[in-house]
Amino acid sequence: IKKIGILTSGGDAPGMNAAIRGVVRTALGEGLEVFGIRDGYQGLYENRIERLNRYSVSDMINRGGTFLGSARFPQFKEEATRLTAIGNLRKNEIDALVVIGGDGSYMGAMRLTEEGFPCVGIPGTIDNDVAGTDYTIGYFTALSTVVEAIDRLRDTSSSHQRISVIEVMGRHCGDLTLSAAIAGGCEFIVIPEVEFKREDLINEIKQGFAKGKKHAIVAVTEHMCDVNELAAEIEAAVKHETRATILGHIQRGGSPVPYDRILASRMGEYAVQLLLQGFGGRCVGIQNEKMVHHDIIDAIENMKRPFNQELFDTAKHLF
Ligand code: ATP
């Protein structure tokens, strides 16, 4: 291969820039040309493609977001759209494509690979919900952000003897909520992987107050319930002021923490090495601290991310 393309897709995540930098610097060092594609699959479809040089990624290692831009582009699920995209890649004489994104972006990469254009996926999302890797780029930065927010809410909850319900991102994955809840000393955790009953939650909060607790923090993964409604229900049952806070997009921004920068750099470098070795249709991961790669189709269709039950059980002993 001589020329590779790179794009970022789906929700942005801190460390995506570091991953782009890792790909660009490694590829140029190996004598390849690199083309940046704007705004994910949308820019690919619209042929917004430009050549990158080593200075395109200067001062990027520490920057949040993605300088290439990202987009949700549902039309990419249509074959005709993807064929136009492949046509654009071929017009630019690009031989392979690196896709940085979450599981939705992997679906796009899988389809392109099936249709004859080799892609390599790099997991970039704060949700940590991508198969074939222990961690995704952006997860540890988001974790720091969420824990900082919980610390702040703890100060004010404890001053006012208030109950705080905090909605954390993660789509259908509870990793961010669970880890943030442990690090933030939350009393109650509501995540998609574990069945939850409102009565049990309310009873546990009541018992906590009966034991002399002055406040309570409940961490809830998004899409589990309406947190404002849950707060009102808790307030009515426990007779303590209860407020809900939806952390929202705050969780996606900010300068990546060192771990995410290192992970992104390693994955970027590794993705280029895979392409040089002739691999296509792969996705990159880190498992037990080692770089690994899997068939992207197999990862999407057959690999399920294991839930860390042990961590959840530990959390329950800390309340
Ligand atoms: P995050 O988890 O951070 O939101 P994501 O990559 O999962 O990131 P999605 O919005 O699910 O985000 O997907 C990103 C893009 O990937 C979509 O907007 C679409 O362009 C493409 N995509 C998603 N699913 C498919 C599919 N089944 N076939 C082709 N392309 C897809």
Side-chain angles (χ1 to χ4, degrees):
I1 61 166
K2 292 198 174 68
K3 299 184 185 183
I4 63 170
I6 181 162
L7 61 79
T8 48
S9 166
D12 66 336
M16 279 183 162
N17 282 323
I20 301 167
R21 175 179 176 273
V23 168
V24 170
R25 294 270 164 96
T26 307
L28 295 177
E30 297 284 355
L32 302 175
E33 281 181 48
V34 189
F35 290 80
I37 296 144
R38 294 276 163 191
D39 301 330
Y41 293 124
Q42 183 162 2
L44 185 57
Y45 174 70
E46 293 166 357
N47 198 26
R48 289 189 279 121
I49 299 175
E50 68 202 69
R51 195 167 160 185
L52 301 177
N53 60 41
R54 70 183 317 284
Y55 303 110
S56 313
V57 290
S58 299
D59 294 329
M60 282 298 165
I61 188 93
N62 56 332
R63 267 172 58 181
T66 158
F67 82 95
L68 286 176
S70 188
R72 309 255 182 215
F73 185 57
Q75 294 95 305
F76 210 68
K77 291 180 186 167
E78 290 157 27
E79 192 184 350
T81 310
R82 293 195 301 271
L83 292 181
T84 304
I86 291 177
N88 290 337
L89 287 162
R90 299 220 196 279
K91 257 194 290 194
N92 288 281
E93 297 177 326
I94 295 170
D95 307 302
L97 179 67
V98 177
V99 171
I100 306 172
D103 49 358
S105 305
Y106 271 29
M107 286 297 291
M110 176 182 97
R111 294 270 174 263
L112 291 177
T113 302
E114 284 171 345
E115 285 153 5
F117 199 90
C119 296
V120 169
I122 295 181
T125 168
I126 66 162
D127 299 336
N128 209 36
D129 60 351
V130 178
T133 188
D134 294 341
Y135 299 112
T136 56
I137 296 166
Y139 170 68
F140 280 103
T141 304
L143 183 55
S144 288
T145 307
V146 175
V147 173
E148 196 191 320
I150 293 173
D151 289 348
R152 287 168 193 266
L153 287 163
R154 165 187 293 280
D155 291 345
T156 171
S157 298
S158 113
S159 305
H160 288 266
Q161 307 210 355
R162 193 185 279 146
I163 300 164
S164 208
V165 179
I166 307 173
E167 184 186 288
V168 179
M169 278 186 169
R171 280 226 187 155
H172 304 293
C173 176
D175 285 14
L176 191 56
T177 310
L178 175 56
S179 292
I182 293 174
C186 296
E187 279 81 4
F188 310 96
I189 303 172
V190 181
I191 53 176
E193 293 85 352
V194 180
E195 201 197 343
F196 124 91
K197 288 202 190 85
R198 284 176 188 232
E199 313 90 81
D200 295 348
L201 174 65
I202 286 168
N203 282 334
E204 282 181 49
I205 298 176
K206 279 185 180 161
Q207 281 163 21
F209 276 98
K211 272 194 297 194
K213 272 187 186 286
K214 297 274 177 280
H215 67 102
I217 308 177
V218 184
V220 184
T221 308
E222 62 180 342
H223 308 308
M224 292 290 294
C225 63
D226 179 328
V227 284
N228 285 303
E229 220 175 82
L230 180 64
E233 206 175 308
I234 294 172
E235 182 168 297
V238 183
K239 313 257 179 305
H240 262 274
E241 189 186 7
T242 307
R243 295 273 179 90
T245 305
I246 298 171
L247 298 180
H249 279 154
I250 294 279
Q251 298 163 90
R252 290 237 295 256
S255 175
V257 297
Y259 185 88
D260 275 331
R261 299 183 196 191
I262 296 166
L263 183 64
S265 302
R266 290 177 73 184
M267 287 181 164
E269 190 265 354
Y270 191 68
V272 174
Q273 299 300 350
L274 286 180
L275 289 172
L276 286 169
Q277 288 162 33
F279 285 106
R282 310 298 291 181
C283 55
V284 169
I286 186 166
Q287 286 175 323
N288 301 319
E289 286 309 313
K290 292 239 174 322
M291 285 293 123
V292 294
H293 60 100
H294 301 283
D295 183 278
I296 196 164
I297 300 171
D298 191 36
I300 291 175
E301 291 182 350
N302 305 321
M303 290 183 195
K304 237 186 136 291
R305 288 201 72 257
F307 171 59
N308 196 338
Q309 184 69 44
E310 203 183 302
L311 193 60
F312 185 78
D313 293 340
T314 299
K316 282 197 298 193
H317 292 133
L318 305 173
F319 295 156

